[in-house]
Amino acid sequence: VPPGPGRCNGVEVIGAVSATIEDVAVRAGVSVATVSRALRSLPNVAPATRERVLAAAYELDYVADPYASGLAKGRTMALGLVVPMLGSWYYAKLFSAVESVVADVGYELRPFTMTGPGGIERFLLDLPFRKRVDALLVADPLEGPEELERIADAGVPMLTLGARTPFAPSLTIDNVSAARSAVGHLTGLGHRRIAMLGGTQDDPFHFSAAVDRHRGYADALRAAGTAPLPSLSVPADLGLDGGAEAMARVLSLRHPPTAVFACSDEMAIGAMQVARDAGFEVPRQLSIVGFDDHDVAAHVGLTTVRQDVVGLGERAAHRLLGLLDAGERAHQHEIHPTRLVVRRSTGPVAGGAARTEPGPGEPT
Amino acid sequence: VPPGPGRCNGVEVIGAVSATIEDVAVRAGVSVATVSRALRSLPNVAPATRERVLAAAYELDYVADPYASGLAKGRTMALGLVVPMLGSWYYAKLFSAVESVVADVGYELRPFTMTGPGGIERFLLDLPFRKRVDALLVADPLEGPEELERIADAGVPMLTLGARTPFAPSLTIDNVSAARSAVGHLTGLGHRRIAMLGGTQDDPFHFSAAVDRHRGYADALRAAGTAPLPSLSVPADLGLDGGAEAMARVLSLRHPPTAVFACSDEMAIGAMQVARDAGFEVPRQLSIVGFDDHDVAAHVGLTTVRQDVVGLGERAAHRLLGLLDAGERAHQHEIHPTRLVVRRSTGPVAGGAARTEPGPGEPT
DNA sequence: CTGAAAGCGCTTACAG
DNA sequence: CTGAAAGCGCTTACAG
């Protein structure tokens, strides 16, 4: 057969079907069972044999078919991460933190977002993770007890991150006290008209962290002798544009706030832009507090609540892997600390007298 | 056997192993072959039979094991999206656009990022997509010809997005002319000291779009009678923090620029924050142009180059699916249009006389 | 330490 | 229109 017009780089003809375990076995002069053991570093393989197998596998550029091995093992060797979206800093960072841990032990991480076709309803209807992952990390998105129960009932081991539920073990931060400390910082600076940007009631994701943060927000206001006003609680999504929209809304009020507490740093950044474009000086006329401690927060001097996303993600990954081997008899609920980081985006209310001002790094 | 302490909601006992095609076949009183056909809407199934199979599958909550079916079909039913990171607006948006198209025809989309353990080197070494996807969409990240060639040589059908290469079909925008038009807008406003924020030389990702945009940037400067200065070209990553850092750097120069062209809107936002914190008024003292037309760009009045991410992603998805069935004999290279959107972040250079100012929506 | 063989849960010619 | 059977590429008792 004359060579076709395709490229041939001397190593392998393009289009050649890739090697199977059988090919490796033949080349190494052993059985496929031995190849399987050698390549996975299982015991009971003679060193010399292992060498030959590794060499053959290398020469053939062999990589095991994950579908075949998954089917045989009865494990997918994949974990799922359920998030509202991937585009926000928080979830993207979470994804890589979790992935870096699970990849080390041979697992891949598959994202399931609610931004796709059909959104959350479709997700709950299809439960698209079934038979695709060995365990599931559910981050924030679904809070109605029914939703989480439906997911849990699918029978896949799971851990929730950001929301505590009776249906699964969880890993959370104390959103109530984190928000209380952020807003307390503002009331301490004399602010009373404080808006909260970030979904509460109408949030399609029932983002429970937002509910808790709203409680902390309300607590802090009441502790300062003020009642929270519904008009100052603006639901919005957690990205830059969510913050921009929400800020535009509160600025259009007859009495705009003197300070805002945003549910994410990205929201805070978007909000800050809009506020400045509308002629507000930060922090002289408007104080802004964010949430997360995004990489950019330090650069722009944003006061914020720091949560250790990477630490949370890594911890979640380890616990998830733990669920695989051992399971849990009682659901464990872990709470991780946060702390307020005070920077330049907050200051005393204009014309008002500051009362107490917590220093930077105040633990919450 | 007495019931264990586990929950039992009347539908299915927790921990029960999930149904297989065999279970469905038994319950419907047909063979597994018939179940397979009925469930996939293949021809040659009697309507009544199909009904019974669907009912049985529904009652058993059956879902086919993708590993088993993938193995049998010789297709993974998955596509891969290779991106530098998922956290940026652009790539996240791209992911959902592509996903929404491929999900409709039963494909899942798997992300491969360079942010994980080992980064780009590991990716090129392992080629982790092998035997995991049927085709690959490579967005921007790898530009050295060797890198892309190595990926292409893995034998997986692929399409590149954002960079044209000899090794695969591609889908790009005209970055040179897009940048030329953005920077031309600035020179038209009288600016001559114009910085470019966004990787060129040292970029670990060899982000070729940045190289092209730099060419357009240099072209526009030269057309205005000015030479591009190395000190005003600052490599940086495309996120908020990349923009913030790069801006901090150019502002620390002895002669800061009067305008900046940022390689992404997120960079532009981060940069704008830093500039304002440093006391620069936008656009009176500093004009800023972004790239992408991020959702938030309109909110903050950012002048930018609009590229239709969703349209690009959907088009790429369709072409990728096309590669699966038909293949391509010659690599096709498509170029999609962009256009400059002028908003409030750009204005005449301070003390300088504007010469020509293109209107909003000027096609590039 | 090694191999033959069964089995994972599907799909797909092939025969009827 | 339907079913029996081979086969996809692995892993894992089991026997030696």
Side-chain angles (χ1 to χ4, degrees), chain B residues 21 36-37 40 62 68-69 72:
Chain B
I21 197 174
S36 177
R37 289 186 203 104
R40 288 178 302 143
Y62 172 74
S69 97

Side-chain angles (χ1 to χ4, degrees), chain A residues 104-146:
Chain A
D104 279 347
V105 291
Y107 276 84
E108 57 175 303
L109 185 65
R110 303 197 178 157
F112 295 90
T113 70
M114 307 294 120
T115 44
I120 209 168
E121 294 75 20
R122 172 125 230 135
F123 179 84
L124 289 171
L125 193 65
D126 294 348
L127 303 176
F129 53 84
R130 289 186 295 165
K131 299 196 178 166
R132 293 181 187 274
V133 302
D134 296 329
L136 211 52
L137 177 60
V138 181
D140 297 330
L142 313 130
E143 295 309 323
E146 328 74 43

Side-chain angles (χ1 to χ4, degrees), chain B residues 186 190-197 217 221 229 231-234 246-262 271 275 280-288 349-350:
Chain B
L186 294 171
H191 295 277
R192 290 298 178 273
R193 257 195 109 62
I194 302 173
M196 170 161 166
L197 313 185
Y217 158 80
L221 283 178
L229 299 176
S231 62
L232 290 180
S233 289
V234 184
M247 181 56 111
R249 201 157 136 196
V250 298
L251 289 183
S252 72
L253 292 174
R254 223 186 336 213
H255 301 295
T258 64
V260 307
F261 166 51
F280 286 80
E281 254 181 63
V282 176
R284 207 175 56 76
Q285 295 166 289
L286 187 74
S287 285
I288 300 189
V349 66

Side-chain angles (χ1 to χ4, degrees), chain A:
Chain A
V1 180
R7 287 175 34 79
C8 171
N9 62 10
V11 172
E12 200 175 351
V13 177
I14 295 299
V17 72
S18 56
T20 70
I21 197 174
E22 182 85 40
D23 301 325
V24 179
V26 169
R27 181 174 257 255
V30 296
S31 72
V32 296
T34 297
V35 173
S36 179
R37 288 186 203 105
L39 257 28
R40 287 177 303 144
S41 304
L42 295 185
N44 296 329
V45 179
T49 309
R50 184 187 313 278
E51 287 305 320
R52 256 185 303 138
V53 171
L54 290 179
Y58 179 80
E59 288 156 13
L60 294 174
D61 216 12
Y62 171 74
V63 46
D65 182 327
Y67 282 56
S69 96
L71 182 58
K73 278 206 279 239
R75 285 186 163 214
T76 64
M77 297 308 285
L79 302 176
L81 175 65
V82 181
V83 292
M85 55 189 161
L86 278 172
S88 86
W89 178 82
Y90 181 84
Y91 295 117
K93 200 97 176 172
L94 184 64
F95 185 89
S96 19
V98 174
E99 188 183 39
S100 71
V101 170
V102 303
D104 279 347
V105 291
Y107 276 84
E108 57 175 303
L109 185 65
R110 303 197 178 157
F112 295 90
T113 70
M114 307 294 120
T115 44
I120 209 168
E121 294 75 20
R122 172 125 230 135
F123 179 84
L124 289 171
L125 193 65
D126 294 348
L127 303 176
F129 53 84
R130 289 186 295 165
K131 299 196 178 166
R132 293 181 187 274
V133 302
D134 296 329
L136 211 52
L137 177 60
V138 181
D140 297 330
L142 313 130
E143 295 309 323
E146 328 74 43
E147 279 95 342
L148 270 173
E149 186 172 9
R150 170 150 174 84
I151 298 181
D153 278 356
V156 177
M158 70 182 252
L159 175 73
T160 61
L161 181 66
R164 177 173 178 160
T165 87
F167 310 111
S170 70
L171 194 59
T172 58
I173 57 174
D174 185 342
N175 283 294
V176 177
S177 87
R180 193 188 296 130
S181 120
V183 178
H185 166 63
L186 293 171
T187 59
L189 290 166
H191 296 276
R192 290 299 177 271
R193 256 194 111 62
I194 303 172
M196 170 162 167
L197 313 185
T200 57
Q201 48 276 29
D202 315 338
D203 189 332
F205 295 132
H206 301 286
F207 182 49
S208 86
V211 175
D212 287 346
R213 288 176 200 176
H214 190 268
R215 243 183 63 206
Y217 159 79
D219 285 356
L221 283 179
R222 292 202 195 89
T226 311
L229 299 176
S231 63
L232 290 180
S233 289
V234 184
D237 85 42
L238 297 174
L240 276 168
D241 41 337
E245 278 168 30
M247 182 56 110
R249 200 158 136 197
V250 298
L251 289 183
S252 73
L253 292 174
R254 224 187 333 213
H255 301 295
T258 64
V260 307
F261 166 52
C263 268
S264 80
D265 284 350
E266 288 191 66
M267 294 190 76
I269 306 275
M272 213 183 293
Q273 286 290 347
V274 166
R276 283 172 162 166
D277 282 348
F280 287 79
E281 253 181 63
V282 176
R284 208 175 55 76
Q285 296 164 287
L286 187 74
S287 284
I288 300 190
V289 174
F291 206 108
D292 287 343
D293 204 19
H294 189 297
D295 293 333
V296 82
H299 278 111
V300 305
L302 180 66
T303 295
T304 190
V305 176
R306 169 165 172 73
Q307 60 172 328
D308 178 14
V309 193
V310 172
L312 280 167
E314 291 176 347
R315 175 66 188 145
H318 283 117
R319 287 190 61 195
L320 209 53
L321 292 170
L323 286 180
L324 253 38
D325 307 330
E328 277 191 350
R329 49 193 70 264
H331 294 328
Q332 288 179 31
H333 301 281
E334 265 179 50
I335 299 181
H336 279 230
T338 59
R339 66 191 173 79
L340 184 67
V341 180
V342 176
R343 299 200 179 95
R344 305 188 305 278
S345 67
T346 49
V349 66
R355 298 196 299 191
T356 67
E357 178 172 1
E362 178 211 37
T364 61

Side-chain angles (χ1 to χ4, degrees), chain B residues 192-251:
Chain B
R192 290 298 178 273
R193 257 195 109 62
I194 302 173
M196 170 161 166
L197 313 185
T200 56
Q201 48 276 32
D202 313 338
D203 189 332
F205 295 131
H206 300 287
F207 181 50
S208 86
V211 175
D212 287 346
R213 290 177 199 175
H214 190 269
R215 243 183 63 209
Y217 158 80
D219 285 356
L221 283 178
R222 290 201 197 90
T226 311
L229 299 176
S231 62
L232 290 180
S233 289
V234 184
D237 83 44
L238 297 174
L240 276 168
D241 41 337
E245 278 168 29
M247 181 56 111
R249 201 157 136 196
V250 298
L251 289 183

